[in-house]
Amino acid sequence: MRQVGALTRYHLELLLRSHAWLPPFLAFALLMVLGVTQGDPLLGGLGYGAGVLVPVSAWYVRAALNAEPPASRACLVAAAGAARVHLGALLAALTAGLVLAAASVAGLWAVSGPVADKGAQSAPGVGEALTAGLPAVVVCVLAGVLAGALGNRPVLVRSPYGVLATLGLSAAVLVVPGSPANAAVSGLVAAARTGRVAAPWTELLVAAALLALAGAGAAALAGRRSA
């Protein structure tokens, strides 16, 4: 685990030095500016921001996997093993997504108006909204990293297909009923209308379990394909 932690830090440094973190961040910022205005209800803004985090987190996976030059990556794989290197890249993307999620929640809190829509049946407090919003954005980051893990190498080797697969999977985890991300976003949107807030703890556990399985499988596949 110590070696995986070191590889995660290495991939985070690569994301920063290569500026590969910047395009997903700018896309997220642009979508938030277009979709949220100052004074909007907090719960609705949190739902919108959580949904946007899915494709952005998937993009971070692709950025982390491709930030390193092929020759340098070959040396790293020879030293640490392809499975550990791949897992480090996925954890780096997850870290970047979680940092962005925390920043988005803080920003939405700062610019929001009332907690729920005007005419909601009840008036929840800011604490209730944040208690539901924080796990919801984490669910969406986990779902986005899951989509990125399944839509890129080593699951899909060819880059053009990987882009389309990542976009398709990101859309699927948002719109398919029963998906943790769909349930988390829908819960926030419904809470904004009704004022009845419920934190998506079950969805968080399911999303974490699915990502753990997918990440372990992708890392194992990377080890076999590099052998």
Side-chain angles (χ1 to χ4, degrees):
M1 289 302 296
R2 183 176 299 177
Q3 192 174 28
V4 173
L7 290 168
T8 301
R9 291 191 296 272
Y10 171 74
H11 281 99
L12 283 171
E13 291 175 5
L14 277 178
L15 280 174
L16 290 173
R17 288 203 307 265
S18 66
H19 302 291
W21 64 274
L22 191 56
F25 172 79
L26 291 177
F28 178 81
L30 176 62
L31 290 172
M32 293 301 292
V33 168
L34 292 175
V36 178
T37 57
Q38 188 169 4
D40 283 350
L42 176 58
L43 284 167
L46 289 172
Y48 178 81
V52 174
L53 280 167
V54 173
V56 170
S57 299
W59 193 345
Y60 271 125
V61 173
R62 188 166 185 82
L65 290 175
N66 295 315
E68 190 174 24
S72 176
R73 185 177 185 279
C75 294
L76 190 63
V77 166
R84 291 189 182 92
V85 172
H86 191 80
L87 187 57
L90 292 181
L91 290 174
L94 176 61
T95 303
L98 291 175
V99 170
L100 185 58
S104 71
V105 171
L108 287 167
W109 184 12
V111 304
S112 66
V115 174
D117 293 348
K118 186 177 181 180
Q121 299 171 1
S122 59
V126 173
E128 292 179 84
L130 295 179
T131 300
L134 283 170
V137 297
V138 174
V139 168
C140 289
V141 170
L142 293 172
V145 175
L146 172 64
L150 296 178
N152 289 285
R153 61 176 171 83
V155 180
L156 292 178
V157 178
R158 296 189 178 183
S159 180
Y161 296 131
V163 173
L164 294 175
T166 302
L167 289 173
L169 288 169
S170 298
V173 298
L174 271 175
V175 302
V176 171
S179 162
N182 176 271
V185 172
S186 299
L188 288 175
V189 173
R193 292 197 307 265
T194 64
R196 298 172 183 171
V197 182
W201 300 118
T202 301
E203 290 80 1
L204 180 60
L205 292 175
V206 172
L210 290 174
L211 178 58
L213 289 173
L221 184 59
R224 287 199 299 269
R225 287 192 169 176
S226 66

